[in-house]
Structures are given as structure tokens and as C-alpha cells.
């Protein structure tokens, strides 16, 4: 029978006399170290580029995508019109192809990954995410594959 009182736990020693948590950390550290050290480099890079420049670039990409997607037949844009409400996500849906099927077709035909998202009310959409490293050419590739798939 277990007590509801968790009590005080004392680390269980390993064969080497180290607490199990320390032994576990030392076993996992070589695998986690690249991510830990990479985080520091990423923070330094972000600081050198400046967040406001990154945000401006993402907004510019979203504006370009919005203008290009508006020219694709059978697409309904769901991302709000006001640029102040934009993040790096761009949502749309097809009037002809269900979102999960459209996302899969885009992936298989172009190796561009977009996500099908379910709103929980029987509606779904396709979400494309853009960031500072994306290019206009990549948006053009996505537009071209959408035009192929939806015509």
C-alpha cells in the first residue's frame, strides 16, 4: 500500500557511487551538447541580425506570398489582411481539395512541407510557415505546385 505522503527522496547511488540522475546526465550529455552549444550560437546570431530586421523580412515574405497566392485560382486566403496581425504563418484553403490531401500533394510533388490544420469545427486549412531564411523563389515554387494541383 502506498502512502499519499511523497516523503523525501534520496538519490539512489549507481555502482560507481554517483546518484542515478548524475549518471543519466553524463550518459546523455554527449548527445545533447550540440544542441546546447548551438543555442548559444543562435542567440548570438539573432542579436547580431536584430529582431526588428528579422520581423521586417518575415512580414515582407508574407506580403509577397499574399500577393502571389491571391492569383491562384481555387484558393481562399485565411490570414488576416492587416499586416500587424501577421506572424510567420500563412493560412489558406482550397475550394476544391481538402486540406490534408492538398498538403500531401504539395509535399509529394515538390518536397515543400506545408501543414494541414484542423480548426475543430469541421473546417481545415493549409498552413505555410515562412522565416528569415526563406526566399521569394521558394514561395514561387509553392505557388507553381498549387497551380498545378488545383487546376
Amino acid at each position: 500500500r502506498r502512502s499519499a505522503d511523497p516523503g523525501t527522496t534520496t538519490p539512489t547511488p549507481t555502482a560507481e557511487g554517483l546518484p542515478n540522475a548524475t549518471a543519466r546526465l553524463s550518459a546523455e550529455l554527449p548527445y545533447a551538447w550540440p544542441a546546447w552549444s548551438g543555442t548559444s550560437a543562435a542567440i548570438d546570431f539573432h542579436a547580431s541580425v536584430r529582431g526588428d530586421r528579422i520581423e521586417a523580412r518575415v512580414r515582407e515574405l508574407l506580403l509577397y506570398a499574399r500577393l502571389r497566392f491571391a492569383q491562384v485560382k481555387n484558393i481562399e486566403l485565411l490570414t488576416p489582411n492587416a499586416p500587424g496581425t501577421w506572424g510567420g504563418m500563412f493560412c489558406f484553403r482550397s475550394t476544391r481539395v481538402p486540406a490534408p490531401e492538398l498538403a500531401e500533394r504539395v509535399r509529394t510533388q515538390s518536397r515543400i512541407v506545408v501543414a494541414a490544420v484542423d480548426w475543430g469545427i469541421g473546417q481545415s486549412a493549409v498552413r505555410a510557415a515562412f522565416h528569415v531564411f526563406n526566399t521569394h523563389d521558394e514561395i514561387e515554387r509553392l505557388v507553381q505546385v498549387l497551380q498545378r494541383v488545383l487546376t
Side-chain angles (χ1 to χ4, degrees), residues 4-79:
D5 177 20
T8 306
T9 56
T10 305
T12 308
T14 63
E16 295 83 25
L18 296 171
N20 272 336
T22 304
R24 200 171 309 130
L25 178 61
S26 67
E28 293 176 9
L29 187 59
Y31 303 104
W33 183 252
W36 286 357
S37 60
T39 300
S40 175
I43 290 170
D44 291 344
F45 174 74
H46 188 276
S48 72
V49 173
R50 294 193 346 255
D52 59 330
R53 289 178 61 203
I54 292 172
E55 181 181 350
R57 171 65 177 164
V58 171
R59 285 186 193 277
E60 187 270 330
L61 287 170
L62 264 287
L63 179 60
Y64 182 77
R66 183 173 198 80
L67 292 171
R68 290 297 291 128
F69 277 57
Q71 298 171 356
V72 178
K73 290 182 175 140
N74 303 312
I75 287 284
E76 179 186 359
L77 303 178
L78 301 174
T79 299

Side-chain angles (χ1 to χ4, degrees), residues 96-134:
R96 301 179 77 192
V97 180
E101 182 181 338
L102 181 58
E104 180 62 19
R105 283 178 166 181
V106 167
R107 186 188 65 75
T108 57
Q109 292 186 23
S110 67
R111 294 178 49 198
I112 296 173
V113 178
V114 292
V117 292
D118 185 9
W119 291 346
I121 54 173
Q123 294 184 354
S124 59
V126 176
R127 181 184 68 211
F130 303 108
H131 210 313
V132 69
F133 46 78
N134 290 114

